[in-house]
Amino acid sequence: MILLGIETSCDETAAAVVVDGATVLSSVVASQIEVHHPYGGVVPELASRKHLEAIVPVVDEAVRKSGVDLKQIDAIAVTQGPGLIGALLIGFSFAKGYAFTLNIPWIGVNHLEGHINSVFLEPDPPPFPFAALLASGGHTSIYHVTSHTQAQLLGQTRDDAAGEAFDKVAKVLGLGYPGGGIIGRQAEKGDPGKIIFPRSYLDKSGFDFSFSGIKTAVNRYVQTHQDEYQEQIPDIAAGFQEAVVEVMAYKIIHAAIETDCNHIAIVGGVAANRRLRESVRQNARAKGISVHIPSFDLCGDNAAMIAAAGYHYLKEGNESDMDADVYSRAYK
Ligand code: KG4
Ligand code: ZN
């Protein structure tokens, strides 16, 4: 079954063509980073306008690059939520219209389930059940995943998302937006043991997170070291990253052990973080747990993961109808 996937929930206009929820024939991601960069974050109104400009060329490019004919596309999967309402509406309305015109089924997909399904686009996907850490700019959660379409939430952040913390710390340090990649690169040049920031485990046996305290701690450090912090940016970045990674690595491994899972998946934009990938792999190996992390381009928002999740929903007999609408908040 050949699916066209479409994703416009935040600041990436993306389209992909995927076979059987596993083989990516094409994946096109048009980033709006340059549009939002001067504002230090995503401006919803600008995001919608950019999606509107980009959606047709991005879908055309994905179809062309896939090598399949439009007539060969069996169905469309599109992000329904959570995300920015105006941004979601562009992709969602386009998908409805396109499916109607092509006279093929279509399915609205939860963005978070898309991220979870991104590991199935890689050669060595985990068997069910597995424990998943989803860490992105909007969410940080741990799930017990029992099928492509079933995931039980074990814990989540009570305040900021992990990616949001990276973005805010980068802003405080004057490094620009989005902060994840920038902090990661700075951290590689720094010493994680030089400036120690607090680790927020909350209840050590639980799976909830809190990242607002560490963001405040970095802010306070910068305020109280105005004269020298510029020269310490690599050490601040490394110290911050280490504190965040340590807690996430501990909790996901603990979740796998608690739920008797021998497999872990790390997904979402923050899964691109090298230190996180390395730390989880290292700690998991010692416990005999396998770790599955998508390649870098499938960690951040993309439409291939939406097509992957959508394929399994369609296979289970689900389909969306023309009354379906987008939603802004996570429902699971
Ligand atoms: O999944 P994603 O592309 O979009 C959302 O659904 O939010 O995640 C974006 C987030 C941003 O906060 C970005 O700073 C973060 O992922 N990110 C990283 C890295 N690359 C992207 N965080 C830490 N280290 C990275 N290398
Ligand atoms: Zn995402």
Side-chain angles (χ1 to χ4, degrees), residues 12 111 115 136-138 163-164 166-167 178-181 268-270 272-273 299-301:
E12 255 104 31
H111 181 83
H115 275 299
S136 71
E164 195 179 352
F166 273 88
D167 295 338
V270 184
N273 186 275
C299 290
D301 288 346

Side-chain angles (χ1 to χ4, degrees), residues 16-36:
V17 177
V18 177
V19 183
D20 294 342
T23 308
V24 183
L25 297 184
S26 66
S27 178
V28 177
V29 180
S31 168
Q32 302 180 357
I33 284 178
E34 273 167 32
V35 178
H36 303 290

Side-chain angles (χ1 to χ4, degrees), residues 282-311:
Q282 214 168 36
N283 288 297
R285 201 177 303 124
K287 307 269 184 209
I289 298 169
S290 309
V291 182
H292 305 260
I293 312 176
S295 51
F296 291 111
D297 51 346
L298 291 175
C299 290
D301 288 346
N302 65 84
M305 68 185 196
I306 302 302
Y311 165 74

Side-chain angles (χ1 to χ4, degrees), residues 52-69:
L52 190 55
E53 283 170 27
I55 188 77
V56 171
V58 165
V59 169
D60 278 352
E61 191 182 339
V63 173
R64 186 171 46 75
K65 281 191 170 161
S66 72
V68 305
D69 195 86

Side-chain angles (χ1 to χ4, degrees), residues 144-221:
H144 179 63
V145 185
T146 49
S147 82
H148 288 283
T149 58
Q150 300 282 329
Q152 184 201 343
L153 181 66
L154 299 180
Q156 62 186 325
T157 182
R158 295 186 189 170
D159 40 57
D160 293 348
E164 195 179 352
F166 273 88
D167 295 338
K168 287 181 176 169
V169 164
K171 200 170 178 178
V172 165
L173 297 174
L175 299 176
Y177 172 87
I182 306 172
I183 294 280
R185 282 190 294 281
Q186 286 290 334
E188 277 170 29
K189 296 184 277 179
D191 176 355
K194 225 171 201 167
I195 305 164
I196 307 292
F197 290 108
R199 273 75 171 144
S200 180
Y201 283 95
L202 298 172
D203 169 13
K204 238 190 160 177
S205 60
F207 304 113
D208 278 357
F209 297 97
S210 168
F211 296 109
S212 70
I214 185 159
K215 172 196 70 188
T216 309
V218 175
N219 215 339
R220 203 177 311 119
Y221 186 90

Side-chain angles (χ1 to χ4, degrees), residues 75-307:
I76 297 175
V78 60
T79 308
Q80 188 166 5
L84 302 169
I85 286 292
L88 286 163
L89 267 174
I90 306 294
F92 201 67
S93 311
F94 179 90
K96 270 187 192 180
Y98 216 43
F100 183 77
T101 312
L102 297 172
N103 197 21
I104 55 176
W106 69 285
I107 182 92
V109 171
N110 180 293
H111 181 83
L112 310 178
E113 292 185 310
H115 275 299
I116 293 173
N117 276 279
S118 63
V119 281
F120 295 96
L121 298 167
E122 297 294 350
D124 178 31
F128 296 109
F130 60 89
L133 169 67
L134 163 66
S136 71
H139 303 271
T140 303
S141 324
I142 290 182
Y143 296 93
H144 179 63
V145 185
T146 49
S147 82
H148 288 283
T149 58
Q150 300 282 329
Q152 184 201 343
L153 181 66
L154 299 180
Q156 62 186 325
T157 182
R158 295 186 189 170
D159 40 57
D160 293 348
E164 195 179 352
F166 273 88
D167 295 338
K168 287 181 176 169
V169 164
K171 200 170 178 178
V172 165
L173 297 174
L175 299 176
Y177 172 87
I182 306 172
I183 294 280
R185 282 190 294 281
Q186 286 290 334
E188 277 170 29
K189 296 184 277 179
D191 176 355
K194 225 171 201 167
I195 305 164
I196 307 292
F197 290 108
R199 273 75 171 144
S200 180
Y201 283 95
L202 298 172
D203 169 13
K204 238 190 160 177
S205 60
F207 304 113
D208 278 357
F209 297 97
S210 168
F211 296 109
S212 70
I214 185 159
K215 172 196 70 188
T216 309
V218 175
N219 215 339
R220 203 177 311 119
Y221 186 90
V222 169
Q223 299 297 328
T224 52
H225 296 77
Q226 281 291 340
D227 296 336
E228 67 258 45
Y229 88 86
Q230 289 285 1
E231 286 80 56
Q232 301 175 332
I233 283 178
D235 292 335
I236 299 173
F240 159 77
Q241 176 177 271
E242 197 60 24
V244 170
V245 163
E246 191 183 295
V247 174
M248 287 196 290
Y250 173 84
K251 294 220 176 216
I252 185 59
I253 286 168
H254 185 56
I257 294 169
E258 281 279 294
T259 56
D260 274 332
C261 290
N262 295 324
H263 294 265
I264 282 175
I266 313 283
V267 298
V270 184
N273 186 275
R274 289 178 193 277
R275 181 70 191 118
L276 177 66
R277 297 165 88 97
E278 176 187 86
S279 174
V280 174
R281 284 198 175 115
Q282 214 168 36
N283 288 297
R285 201 177 303 124
K287 307 269 184 209
I289 298 169
S290 309
V291 182
H292 305 260
I293 312 176
S295 51
F296 291 111
D297 51 346
L298 291 175
C299 290
D301 288 346
N302 65 84
M305 68 185 196
I306 302 302

